[in-house]
């Protein structure tokens, strides 16, 4: 259920943005594409600010944030262990997203010019995506201790 919610929240700004580009892209394609990119950057900034606010609340009072979880059951939880796992996953996913953005754009350009480079380009995009998976594995290792 959480995954479906996360995907729907992630797709929320995409649908109206694509409708805008479809409607206004015929008249002035470069201007509408520029506005689309600006809109996505603004949305990403707002999501980042929300995440920073949540991190500030967590850092200000980690014991009260954990009170609803295992700490309420009497479990002994290291607060900074959960923070380390969250940072490992979050920063790895941000880095993976940046890497996939750059390598994906280059892969599409290379494939458009020379279609036989598709396999090689897909390999580089997959390697960039692996960065996020390594962060997730690292967070499981951190939480397993």
């Amino acid at each position: 259920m959480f995954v479906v919610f996360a995907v729907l929240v992630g797709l929320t700004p995409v649908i109206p943005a694509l409708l805008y580009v479809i409607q206004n892209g015929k008249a002035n394609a470069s201007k509408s594409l520029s506005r689309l990119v600006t809109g996505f950057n603004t949305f990403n900034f707002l999501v980042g600010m929300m995440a920073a606010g949540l991190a500030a609340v967590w850092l200000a009072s980690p014991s009260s944030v954990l009170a609803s979880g295992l700490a309420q059951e009497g479990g002994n939880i290291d607060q900074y262990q959960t923070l380390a796992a969250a940072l490992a996953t979050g920063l790895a996913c941000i880095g993976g997203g940046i890497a996939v953005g750059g390598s994906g754009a280059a892969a599409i350009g290379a494939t458009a010019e020379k279609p036989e480079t598709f396999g090689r380009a897909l390999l580089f995009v997959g390697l960039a995506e692996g960065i996020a998976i390594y962060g997730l594995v690292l967070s499981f290792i951190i939480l397993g201790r």
Side-chain angles (χ1 to χ4, degrees), residues 100-114 117-118 120-122 124-125:
V100 167
S103 63
I108 289 173
T111 304
E113 289 181 12
K114 197 172 179 185
T117 62
F118 174 73
R120 200 172 311 147
L122 187 64
F124 286 113
V125 174

Side-chain angles (χ1 to χ4, degrees), residues 5 7 12-13 23-24 34 54 68 70 74 76 80 84 87 90 93 105 112 126 128:
F5 179 73
V7 168
T12 300
Q23 290 175 353
N24 299 327
S34 172
L54 288 173
S68 64
L70 294 174
N76 188 10
Y80 297 105
L87 285 175
C93 288

